Amino acid sequence: MPAYIIVETDIHDPEQYERYKEASPGAVAAGGGQFLVRGGELCVLEGDWQPRRLVMLEFESLDAAKQFYASPAYEAAKRLREGAADLNMVAVEGLA
């Protein structure tokens, strides 16, 4: 069953965050994932949530998403964004 990682990002240091953006696609691909959404224009349709940037990744399973997050390749990418942004991130199973 597919799984999705959804990330809300609040960027504080755009220059440093760019280094993370350059490193993360390789880590995502190495983990078998793909970007579905990567910071495009968004529109709040209901509620008080005002995300500044959203990213959505797709993986073959929840286990694959968790393995990607814990992978050495993504650990290295995460170090590049330290101090550059605050994130809220969840992984959720999709529909079979």
Side-chain angles (χ1 to χ4, degrees):
M1 159 176 331
Y4 303 90
I5 291 180
I6 303 165
V7 185
E8 175 188 16
T9 308
D10 186 8
I11 301 168
H12 307 296
D13 184 338
E15 187 175 306
Q16 182 179 343
Y17 190 78
E18 283 300 317
R19 292 194 295 265
Y20 167 74
K21 280 177 50 181
E22 291 170 6
S24 63
V28 170
Q34 67 175 337
F35 285 93
L36 299 178
V37 173
R38 194 172 189 205
E41 182 179 350
L42 60 88
C43 174
V44 175
L45 299 175
E46 189 170 333
D48 294 330
W49 189 26
Q50 297 293 319
R52 295 173 190 233
R53 177 181 171 82
L54 290 175
V55 174
M56 186 183 324
L57 308 169
E58 181 179 44
F59 291 87
E60 67 180 31
S61 67
L62 187 57
D63 282 340
K66 291 190 284 186
Q67 288 173 9
F68 150 75
Y69 184 78
S71 70
Y74 191 59
E75 287 292 329
K78 285 191 289 187
R79 283 192 296 276
L80 294 173
R81 73 155 201 260
E82 287 178 4
D86 293 322
L87 273 69
N88 290 309
M89 183 183 301
V90 298
V92 60
E93 283 186 328
L95 300 175

